[in-house]
């Protein structure tokens, strides 16, 4: 599918308005027992007040019917077509923990997992260990893993049950299939090369995962690593180069800081929670044109299948919205990166609701919800097109043609 992206010669390099992107991860949902989605069931007076003066719409993060991962979904929000820039989750995780990647590095994400006595996966997230517990597991195995002499291995804890491995050396490719089968009751998959240039990588990875299982055999919860999101790092054009914006990312989770670093946004702080994320926006407000705020709980509760908890997570963010509004950004967008319906317990392909508040908005509804957004002024579009809308509303796009 061809993409509609912003031509470089239309981006104004002069002054323009400030832009805030507020992302409730996995915001989109499906109707629950009441017939309402999580967003529609939530009590959101501040988001509703914002919607009443905003342009509303829905978008497909990648393409109709395609269920996106968080990496490509966020790339689309930042104006990068994920079909043109296929970046693996491992690259984003490595950047997110602050690792200085070099061209040719291969990175992949790890899930700490539990196995039963037969070697089948009993919990893909090992009971969601704390950061301290996850870090202790990584510290235990890091120094004991062996790789060929001409390969550097870096193993870093990311968050809770997540970690990242980076391989640096000759003859490494990023085309390796995930070992995470995305289900329980089955054994981990072997690391298989998906192309001839990645055979050596797959062999090294399979050895590392086998060594890890032996090292973790007596651990009470974590018995294996599941590898996913393999990618070879090459780099992409920066946010400032493409859009003339100085951007900052305010996100608690490393992966989202990673995708922001990938496009050249500043990543100055690691907020401890939602309140701290908004406080970081307030303290950095005068120094950036574009601010990206990320909130994770909506996605996590959706994946847990807990409809009421996802509703509560939405309501908690609603309570913080007035502090963002008080800064008077020229453009304020509230949306998700994808849908994570609690009834599905996973990411889905369903379009994501979005509101865009600016002085140039054309309001159509009094509430922020999927039904209201489907009938909104922005219509139904691809996620990559949200950036051109933001730039236009901020006065940062030139006229096209004579």
């Amino acid at each position: 599918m061809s993409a509609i992206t912003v031509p470089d010669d239309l981006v104004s390099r002069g002054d323009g308005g400030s832009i805030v992107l507020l992302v409730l991860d996995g915001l989109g949902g499906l109707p629950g027992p009441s017939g309402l989605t999580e967003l529609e069931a939530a009590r959101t007076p501040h988001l509703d007040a914002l919607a009443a003066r905003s342009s509303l719409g829905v978008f497909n993060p990648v393409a109709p019917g395609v269920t996106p991962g968080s990496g490509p979904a966020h790339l689309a929000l930042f104006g990068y077509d994920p079909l043109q820039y296929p970046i693996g989750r491992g690259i984003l995780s490595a950047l997110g923990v602050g690792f200085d990647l070099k061209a040719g590095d291969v990175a992949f994400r790890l899930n700490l997992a539990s196995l039963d006595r037969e070697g089948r996966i009993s919990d893909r997230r090992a009971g969601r260990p704390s950061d301290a517990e996850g870090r202790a597991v990584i510290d235990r195995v890091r120094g004991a893993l062996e790789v060929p002499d001409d390969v550097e291995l870096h193993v870093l804890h990311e968050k809770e049950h997540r970690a990242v491995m980076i391989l640096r050396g000759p003859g490494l490719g990023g085309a390796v299939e995930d070992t995470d089968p995305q289900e329980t009751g089955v054994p981990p998959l072997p690391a298989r090369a998906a192309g001839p240039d990645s055979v050596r990588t797959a062999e090294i990875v399979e050895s590392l995962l086998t060594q890890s299982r032996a090292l973790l055999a007596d651990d009470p919860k974590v018995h294996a690593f599941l590898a996913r999101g393999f990618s070879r790092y090459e780099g992409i054009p920066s946010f400032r180069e493409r859009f003339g914006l100085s951007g900052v990312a305010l996100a608690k989770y490393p992966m989202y800081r990673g995708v922001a670093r990938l496009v050249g946004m500043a990543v100055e702080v690691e907020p401890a929670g939602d309140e701290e994320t908004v406080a970081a926006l307030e303290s950095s407000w005068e120094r950036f044109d574009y601010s990206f705020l990320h909130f994770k709980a909506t996605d996590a509760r959706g994946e847990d299948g807990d409809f009421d908890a996802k509703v509560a997570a939405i309501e908690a963010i609603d309570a913080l919205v007035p502090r963002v509004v008080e800064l008077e950004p020229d453009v304020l967008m509230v949306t998700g990166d994808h849908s994570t319906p609690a009834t599905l317990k996973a990411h889905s392909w369903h379009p994501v609701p979005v509101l865009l508040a600016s002085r140039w908005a054309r309001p159509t509804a009094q509430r922020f919800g999927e039904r209201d957004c489907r009938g909104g002024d922005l219509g139904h579009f691809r996620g990559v097109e949200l950036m051109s809308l933001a730039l236009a509303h901020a006065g940062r796009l030139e006229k096209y043609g004579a």
Side-chain angles (χ1 to χ4, degrees), residues 46-136:
H46 304 299
L47 286 171
D48 291 343
L50 196 58
R53 61 179 181 85
S54 299
S55 289
L56 305 178
V58 295
F59 66 85
N60 293 107
V62 178
V66 175
T67 296
S70 295
H74 275 84
L75 276 177
L77 290 176
F78 298 156
Y80 293 77
D81 185 353
L83 298 178
Q84 181 181 355
Y85 299 101
I87 308 297
R89 184 74 175 251
I91 294 297
L92 303 180
S93 292
L95 291 170
V97 297
F99 188 84
D100 186 15
L101 287 169
K102 296 182 179 179
D105 287 354
V106 173
F108 50 99
R109 181 183 173 186
L110 302 175
N111 260 31
L112 280 57
S114 303
L115 305 180
D116 64 19
R117 294 181 181 275
E118 285 71 39
R120 297 172 301 202
I121 300 167
S122 56
D123 189 333
R124 292 179 54 250
R125 301 178 180 88
R128 291 188 181 273
S130 67
D131 285 343
E133 292 170 332
R135 192 175 299 111

Side-chain angles (χ1 to χ4, degrees), residues 46-303:
H46 304 299
L47 286 171
D48 291 343
L50 196 58
R53 61 179 181 85
S54 299
S55 289
L56 305 178
V58 295
F59 66 85
N60 293 107
V62 178
V66 175
T67 296
S70 295
H74 275 84
L75 276 177
L77 290 176
F78 298 156
Y80 293 77
D81 185 353
L83 298 178
Q84 181 181 355
Y85 299 101
I87 308 297
R89 184 74 175 251
I91 294 297
L92 303 180
S93 292
L95 291 170
V97 297
F99 188 84
D100 186 15
L101 287 169
K102 296 182 179 179
D105 287 354
V106 173
F108 50 99
R109 181 183 173 186
L110 302 175
N111 260 31
L112 280 57
S114 303
L115 305 180
D116 64 19
R117 294 181 181 275
E118 285 71 39
R120 297 172 301 202
I121 300 167
S122 56
D123 189 333
R124 292 179 54 250
R125 301 178 180 88
R128 291 188 181 273
S130 67
D131 285 343
E133 292 170 332
R135 192 175 299 111
V137 169
I138 297 305
D139 290 343
R140 176 180 177 184
V141 303
R142 181 187 290 113
L145 294 173
E146 297 181 357
V147 293
D149 291 341
D150 61 347
V151 173
E152 292 181 30
L153 170 66
H154 302 270
V155 190
L156 303 169
H157 181 250
E158 184 177 0
K159 194 77 177 174
E160 298 168 345
H161 62 279
R162 304 177 183 92
V164 60
M165 277 189 180
I166 302 100
L167 299 174
R168 177 176 292 168
L172 301 177
V176 179
E177 296 177 1
D178 292 354
T179 73
D180 183 357
Q182 301 278 328
E183 59 179 314
T184 57
V186 298
L189 299 170
R192 293 192 179 98
D197 64 340
S198 300
V199 171
R200 187 176 192 230
T201 309
E203 292 173 348
I204 294 171
V205 170
E206 185 63 22
S207 172
L208 289 169
L209 298 181
T210 300
Q211 293 177 57
S212 299
R213 285 195 290 271
L215 292 167
L216 296 170
D218 61 350
D219 192 276
K221 292 195 299 184
V222 182
H223 311 123
F225 295 151
L226 303 177
R228 56 191 293 205
F230 290 84
S231 189
R232 178 183 165 99
Y233 181 69
E234 302 297 344
I236 64 175
S238 75
F239 205 63
R240 183 180 289 277
E241 289 169 342
R242 291 198 62 204
F243 306 123
L245 292 168
S246 60
V248 63
L250 308 168
K252 176 181 178 182
Y253 281 78
M255 201 286 293
Y256 308 99
R257 297 198 299 274
V259 70
R261 283 190 68 205
L262 177 69
V263 302
M265 288 191 204
V267 182
E268 299 182 333
V269 297
E270 181 180 340
D274 296 343
E275 292 268 359
E276 291 81 3
T277 298
V278 176
L281 173 70
E282 293 166 336
S283 63
S284 65
W285 182 244
E286 299 297 331
R287 296 188 291 117
F288 297 96
D289 303 318
Y290 183 101
S291 301
F292 157 57
L293 285 72
H294 180 270
F295 301 98
K296 180 64 174 176
T298 38
D299 180 60
R301 301 294 80 79
E303 290 192 334

